[in-house]
Amino acid sequence: MAVTQQLARIPEGLLAACRQSAAASSDHDPHWDPPASDILDLDWAPALLKRVGEVAGLEEVLLDALRRSTDGDTALDLGFLNTHPHAIAPFGATPTGLGVSEVARVSELLGQIYMPVLLAALPADERDAESSIGQMGGPITGGLRAYLLEHFNALRNFYLDAAKRHLLVVLWWD
């Protein structure tokens, strides 16, 4: 099974309940189980999306929002979600996240990115386009541009919904 990036949009209360559960449980089980409808699997798209933004010369504030949308930050204490044997990120770094106000700001900025323009800045040849953003491992089924557009749209919509619902976002690799 491949390690892919996961995002969950959750209310602050759920995070507090998970933290309390982990502290009260002898085996540190946070009972982390966000609804499937609030989880997004970004596959391996995050690095490629950021690289497209860099190659296309995306304005720095928008590029930073794209980075934050997939990197999170360390302001939220999420280490309790990465404790053996209940770690949600057994193959990656400690989960990160964005608080409600950061989610709203990232959502607003992602809404200003028009991915078709960024993708148009890539070389026309598929192999050259893949090479320009460092995509390795052979062609992506359905094509690089379609893959990136699909994952960017999913990311943008995920954050838009999280912002509308005043949720925070937790990110991890699993």
Side-chain angles (χ1 to χ4, degrees):
M1 181 164 115
V3 176
T4 61
Q5 185 168 43
Q6 309 292 309
L7 292 83
R9 50 187 174 213
I10 62 169
E12 291 178 279
L14 176 60
L15 190 62
C18 288
R19 185 177 289 114
Q20 183 177 15
S21 178
S25 169
S26 62
D27 67 351
H28 306 289
D29 186 354
H31 295 286
W32 172 256
D33 192 22
S37 60
D38 284 323
I39 294 179
L40 174 64
D41 183 339
L42 274 184
D43 197 40
W44 295 354
L48 299 176
L49 289 169
K50 290 179 269 193
R51 188 66 185 129
V52 167
E54 293 166 359
V55 168
L58 186 61
E59 182 182 342
E60 191 59 37
V61 68
L62 298 177
L63 185 57
D64 184 58
L66 185 57
R67 286 181 186 128
R68 292 192 68 211
S69 74
T70 60
D71 293 346
D73 65 32
T74 58
L76 296 176
D77 174 18
L78 300 173
F80 69 93
L81 290 174
N82 211 32
T83 303
H84 181 75
H86 305 287
I88 68 169
F91 305 110
T94 299
T96 61
L98 294 174
V100 173
S101 61
E102 292 84 8
V103 167
R105 180 67 178 147
V106 164
S107 174
E108 175 189 339
L109 293 170
L110 288 177
Q112 296 175 31
I113 298 173
Y114 190 60
M115 187 56 69
V117 169
L118 301 182
L119 296 173
L122 296 176
D125 179 78
E126 186 80 5
R127 283 185 285 179
D128 290 345
E130 290 172 356
S131 177
S132 73
I133 62 171
Q135 198 285 334
M136 303 299 231
I140 294 173
T141 303
L144 176 67
R145 287 171 179 77
Y147 173 85
L148 292 173
L149 185 59
E150 175 186 341
H151 284 82
F152 175 77
N153 287 340
L155 179 67
R156 185 189 58 220
N157 293 338
F158 186 85
Y159 271 93
L160 179 62
D161 184 66
K164 284 181 182 176
R165 295 167 50 200
H166 306 284
L167 301 174
L168 53 84
V169 172
V170 174
L171 306 97
W172 71 98
W173 287 86
D174 184 20

